[in-house]
Amino acid sequence: MTGAKRAAIYIDGFNLYRRALEQRPECRWLDVRRLCELLLPDFEVTHVRYFTAHVKFVEGEDPASPARQRAYLRALATIPGVSLHFGTFRSDRRWMAVSPLELQADGSPRTVRVRKIEEKGSDVSLAAHLVCDAMSGGVDAVFVLSNDSDFVDALRLARERAGVEIGLISPTSAPARSLLALAPDHVRHVRAASMLAAQLPERIVDEHGTVTRPKRWVAGSTEAPPEAGLRAR
């Protein structure tokens, strides 16, 4: 797009899932670049960085969930201008205090053993790439697709130190107050209609063969994949 401002988009994959896709399986086969282009028609989308982690099988969840994610990541990797960045998916058991707090006879908190699912590393990677890209001079605006307040400082630095415009693409109708307090130059919202308009082809050919849309990713699916246990930030 001649003369349009250049924009780079940084997607918090797990936040997007929890906030916009968890209840909409028919939208999960999402072309993230096309979605960004639909939401930012006045910008030239130079690249989209997608941050996630490879999910693992979690006891009690659908064992096919990791395979569905692998299929989706293969599909994303075929989109020009989209790069994938991986953190670490952790699932372990630990003892934690009950809530509300209960004390035992000796005054110590009563604890129970729980399964804790965490995704580590993606937030730091997203913030680092955003600031580096902004400082490079190759873009006029940076957009974060997330509702995570941890990205406030990265966006602030991009504006103050690099002089670029900052934008928020919110996967929820009620963005975090701390993100809105930055007074972003641009705010967009992810809607079901735009996601449905940005679906990938049902079958995609890559260097490994053919990858197809998972059958469970259709309207009415009640799938609860491992990432569903992650905290919605």
Side-chain angles (χ1 to χ4, degrees), residues 54-58 62-71 225-227:
H54 291 288
V55 300
K56 301 175 183 178
F57 170 64
V58 175
D62 187 341
S65 293
R68 282 191 284 273
Q69 189 208 35
R70 288 195 297 271
E227 60 263 45

Side-chain angles (χ1 to χ4, degrees), residues 102-161:
E102 298 178 12
L103 299 180
Q104 302 187 89
D106 62 359
S108 62
R110 188 171 77 85
T111 60
V112 293
R113 197 177 188 192
V114 301
R115 181 184 68 190
K116 186 170 184 180
I117 299 174
E118 296 179 290
E119 182 272 327
K120 306 289 287 186
S122 290
D123 288 1
V124 173
S125 181
L126 189 156
H129 278 87
L130 184 152
V131 173
C132 286
D133 289 345
M135 297 295 291
S136 73
V139 296
D140 304 301
V142 292
F143 286 80
V144 168
L145 197 169
S146 180
N147 196 45
D148 189 346
S149 59
D150 287 348
F151 301 128
V152 165
D153 282 344
L155 287 166
R156 181 183 293 113
L157 285 170
R159 171 189 273 165
E160 293 178 353
R161 301 297 180 85

Side-chain angles (χ1 to χ4, degrees), residues 214-228:
K215 293 181 179 179
R216 293 286 299 275
W217 288 6
V218 296
S221 171
T222 57
E223 171 195 9
E227 60 263 45

Side-chain angles (χ1 to χ4, degrees), residues 42-110:
D42 298 327
F43 287 84
E44 176 192 351
V45 175
T46 61
H47 59 274
V48 177
R49 298 190 186 275
Y50 185 89
F51 297 82
T52 188
H54 291 288
V55 300
K56 301 175 183 178
F57 170 64
V58 175
E59 182 182 357
E61 303 290 358
D62 187 341
S65 293
R68 282 191 284 273
Q69 189 208 35
R70 288 195 297 271
Y72 180 57
L73 295 176
R74 278 181 59 186
L76 285 186
T78 67
I79 305 174
V82 172
S83 58
L84 307 181
H85 306 265
F86 296 97
T88 303
F89 182 87
R90 293 180 53 186
S91 174
D92 53 39
R93 298 179 185 276
R94 62 185 68 182
W95 291 93
M96 300 185 72
V98 298
S99 179
L101 184 66
E102 298 178 12
L103 299 180
Q104 302 187 89
D106 62 359
S108 62
R110 188 171 77 85

Side-chain angles (χ1 to χ4, degrees), residues 140-205:
D140 304 301
V142 292
F143 286 80
V144 168
L145 197 169
S146 180
N147 196 45
D148 189 346
S149 59
D150 287 348
F151 301 128
V152 165
D153 282 344
L155 287 166
R156 181 183 293 113
L157 285 170
R159 171 189 273 165
E160 293 178 353
R161 301 297 180 85
V164 300
E165 296 179 5
I166 61 173
L168 172 64
I169 301 177
S170 177
T172 175
S173 59
R177 291 182 180 179
S178 55
L179 290 168
L180 292 178
L182 286 170
D185 300 288
H186 311 278
V187 177
R188 302 289 188 273
H189 294 271
V190 176
R191 311 288 190 191
S194 57
M195 291 191 293
L196 286 172
Q199 294 295 291
L200 291 159
E202 296 294 307
R203 297 169 60 87
I204 297 172
V205 177

Side-chain angles (χ1 to χ4, degrees), residues 13-28 61 171 195 216-218 220-232:
F14 283 109
N15 198 275
L16 171 62
Y17 176 83
R18 288 302 308 274
R19 295 294 187 177
L21 294 171
E22 187 170 20
Q23 302 303 320
R24 298 185 178 94
E26 71 277 12
C27 295
R28 293 178 191 163
E61 303 290 358
M195 291 191 293
R216 293 286 299 275
W217 288 6
V218 296
S221 171
T222 57
E223 171 195 9
E227 60 263 45
L230 290 169
R231 176 172 59 95

